[in-house]
Amino acid sequence: MQTGRAFPLFFDLDKKITAASAFRVSLVFWLIYSFVYLVLKGENVDYFGFENGNIAASVARGEGFADVMATGKQQPTAWMPLLYVYLLAGVFYLTGIKSTAALWMLSLIRCVVLAGGGYLAFKIGERFGRLQAVVCTLSFIGYMTGFSYIMVSNIFTEEWLMAVLLLLLVHQFILLFFNEHVSETYAAIVAALCALSSPILLAVWLGLFVIYVATGTLNHLLPQNWRAISHTTIAWKPTLVAIAAIVVIFFAWGIRNHYAMGKFIPLKSNMWMEVYLSNVMSQDGLLWKDVLHGNHPLTNQAARAAYMAQGEVDFLKAKEMAAKQYLADHPTDYLRKVARRFINAFGYTDMNQQATDWSEVSLKQHIRSLMVAFIPLLALLINLFTYRLQKPALTVMALVYVGCIMPYVLISHFSRYQFFAMGLQAVFVGLAFCIFVHRIQTGRFFPALISRKSL
């Protein structure tokens, strides 16, 4: 679908823009924006991702993957995934633990990664047209700057990294579904990054792998109108190499945890803590700030004492038993909470992280709440209705988006988790915007006000 020539200068420029130039321009923008933002805000630099930063500090000191709650006792942990912890640890080792120099180095790394997100948004949007590629990149930048307090602040939680990794996963499978070359190295790196960064990203990767193999194998059996989402061959070598990378990480980390903690934990340990907090302790199923701070060992002294006395495995085992008992005794209540989380994820994501009267919420907060929930969903539906199954790239993106969000709906949800999908949401909105402009240009919207000949 082309979008006409309503803006001749912009369209001429769009022909000259490449993915590489989108990366360079994005990088310059993020460097300037991040510098100005951090200088003007002048916030403290102690957080560095909270649990991630605590473990990273232990690693940088040479004391191993431990001390997640910053107790000073080097209890081994598997509370957080490996990737972001070791990124922080490497920076701490070079520049000092939680230092100002570490802040600036991490900010530089983040700028490069976000520029990579702009590059990936361009490459994905390019599947729909040259203009779409440019608009998707601009949409990505707009979304990230709209949430500066998370994406470029010095709190350094991992949302910015997760948002770009999700786009990387999408890009890899788009190449596979289009029967385009994917090297074994690239496939292994993407799969390893997913396994090292998030169980949900890994689950999405594995789910897409199954769909990719199934549709390729059964291509001749599918109805004609469904063959657009399939492919004629399966790139077995890169996908099997990727699977091998996942298996190695899965067992290597699981064995480490077995010897260090007495339990085989392949990725991260705290899933049942999330289930417990959002279902047993929360009245409506959302992970409000008071629920989190009132029960988490990082912020609650009683919980911290229990964590230190019992050790991570036994502490989390108690939460698992309580959560399972709740699920067995209150299935209807659990479904009510799932429904509430569904609304929070796809309708209106509460940005306050605490129950607040709507009259006290600012217009900016309302806009942000819609930007990460209802607007991306509406944009996705517009794209699906427009392209149907004619665009495998869109099918891949839709599967990834649902696969990324639904585990949080089933387990635990609050605004931070929604930000992980923000890069993909920006692409949906960018593509839908192009559709909207095209409809206006062709007179399908506001026909009485727009002459087709004038366009």
Side-chain angles (χ1 to χ4, degrees):
M1 182 189 74
Q2 299 300 319
T3 53
R5 296 181 58 85
F7 311 103
L9 177 61
F10 183 78
F11 277 73
D12 289 339
L13 287 174
D14 121 81
K15 292 179 181 178
K16 301 175 183 178
I17 297 174
T18 64
S21 63
F23 173 82
R24 290 192 294 268
V25 172
S26 295
L27 179 58
V28 171
F29 171 83
W30 288 118
L31 288 171
I32 296 173
Y33 186 84
S34 181
F35 176 81
V36 172
Y37 183 90
L38 291 174
V39 169
L40 291 178
K41 286 294 181 180
E43 299 167 350
N44 68 65
V45 296
D46 296 330
Y47 297 118
F48 288 99
F50 299 99
E51 296 100 320
N52 285 302
N54 293 338
I55 304 171
S58 176
V59 173
R61 290 192 298 263
E63 297 170 347
F65 206 90
D67 199 21
V68 62
M69 305 304 168
T71 62
K73 296 185 177 180
Q74 297 306 309
Q75 290 181 322
T77 184
W79 195 277
M80 304 302 292
L82 291 162
L83 180 65
Y84 194 50
V85 167
Y86 276 99
L87 172 62
L88 293 175
V91 172
F92 290 168
Y93 182 80
L94 294 173
T95 60
I97 294 173
K98 299 185 180 181
S99 64
T100 301
L103 178 145
W104 289 109
M105 179 173 282
L106 277 168
S107 297
L108 176 60
I109 293 170
R110 183 170 56 190
C111 288
V112 175
V113 172
L114 288 174
Y119 172 89
L120 290 168
F122 187 97
K123 295 294 289 184
I124 294 169
E126 202 171 27
R127 299 288 169 172
F128 300 82
R130 296 283 299 169
L131 174 63
Q132 285 85 342
V134 176
V135 172
C136 285
T137 302
L138 294 174
S139 179
F140 177 83
I141 293 173
Y143 256 78
M144 297 299 157
T145 54
F147 293 84
S148 300
Y149 67 100
I150 288 291
M151 293 301 177
V152 298
S153 75
N154 55 14
I155 297 174
F156 284 111
T157 46
E158 70 272 30
E159 291 90 342
W160 54 276
L161 180 60
M162 294 292 293
V164 176
L165 288 179
L166 193 65
L167 289 180
L168 187 65
L169 184 157
V170 168
H171 181 252
Q172 183 198 52
F173 275 96
I174 286 175
L175 293 179
L176 290 172
F177 274 90
F178 272 87
N179 285 323
E180 296 181 17
H181 175 69
V182 176
S183 70
E184 291 82 2
T185 302
Y186 181 55
I189 289 174
V190 174
L193 289 174
C194 290
L196 292 169
S197 61
S198 166
I200 290 178
L201 275 190
L202 178 59
V204 172
W205 193 99
L206 292 172
L208 276 180
F209 169 77
V210 171
I211 293 171
Y212 170 70
V213 172
T215 54
T217 304
L218 305 174
N219 178 64
H220 62 288
L221 300 177
L222 292 172
Q224 189 65 37
N225 62 326
W226 280 80
R227 293 186 184 181
I229 69 167
S230 62
H231 40 94
T232 55
T233 60
I234 299 174
W236 284 110
K237 193 172 182 181
T239 51
L240 291 179
V241 168
I243 289 290
I246 291 171
V247 170
V248 168
I249 292 169
F250 187 93
F251 281 100
W253 188 236
I255 291 170
R256 175 269 181 189
N257 292 327
H258 173 72
Y259 281 102
M261 303 170 63
K263 182 178 180 181
F264 186 89
I265 304 170
L267 294 175
K268 60 179 295 191
S269 63
N270 67 343
M271 183 193 77
W272 284 106
M273 182 71 177
E274 298 273 346
V275 179
Y276 172 79
L277 291 177
S278 291
N279 295 281
V280 179
M281 300 307 297
S282 174
Q283 294 298 312
D284 63 358
L286 298 184
L287 192 54
W288 298 108
K289 186 182 294 185
D290 61 336
V291 174
L292 183 62
H293 288 188
N295 297 276
H296 197 288
L298 194 63
T299 51
N300 180 273
Q301 290 299 326
R304 178 180 295 206
Y307 174 88
M308 293 171 64
Q310 298 172 22
E312 185 166 299
V313 171
D314 289 340
F315 176 81
L316 292 173
K317 183 64 177 179
K319 307 305 180 188
E320 178 182 351
M321 293 174 62
K324 287 181 176 178
Q325 188 65 49
Y326 162 82
L327 294 173
D329 294 343
H330 307 283
T332 303
D333 190 54
Y334 168 70
L335 292 177
R336 177 182 65 84
K337 292 177 179 179
V338 167
R340 179 65 181 89
R341 290 193 287 266
F342 185 91
I343 294 170
N344 205 56
F346 293 107
Y348 181 94
T349 300
D350 197 297
M351 291 293 158
N352 296 299
Q353 296 185 30
Q354 58 188 1
T356 307
D357 191 317
W358 272 37
S359 63
E360 301 175 6
V361 179
S362 69
L363 177 61
K364 180 187 290 187
Q365 288 175 304
H366 283 309
I367 292 173
R368 283 174 169 169
S369 294
L370 294 172
M371 279 180 64
V372 295
F374 178 72
I375 291 175
L377 177 62
L378 178 62
L380 174 58
L381 294 175
I382 289 171
N383 283 296
L384 290 172
F385 179 80
T386 301
Y387 293 112
R388 303 181 193 276
L389 294 177
Q390 299 171 11
K391 292 287 185 180
L394 182 60
T395 306
V396 171
M397 287 190 286
L399 290 171
V400 169
Y401 187 59
V402 174
C404 176
I405 296 294
M406 284 307 296
Y408 293 114
V409 171
L410 296 174
I411 296 173
S412 175
H413 191 268
F414 72 126
S415 57
R416 196 171 80 84
Y417 296 157
Q418 197 74 356
F419 297 148
F420 295 162
M422 190 179 292
L424 193 52
Q425 292 174 337
V427 173
F428 292 150
V429 172
L431 293 175
F433 176 79
C434 290
I435 292 171
F436 183 77
V437 171
H438 175 69
R439 296 284 177 87
I440 293 177
Q441 291 176 315
T442 57
R444 296 171 69 180
F445 291 147
F446 318 121
L449 301 178
I450 300 176
S451 167
R452 288 174 182 249
K453 291 183 180 180
S454 67
L455 298 172

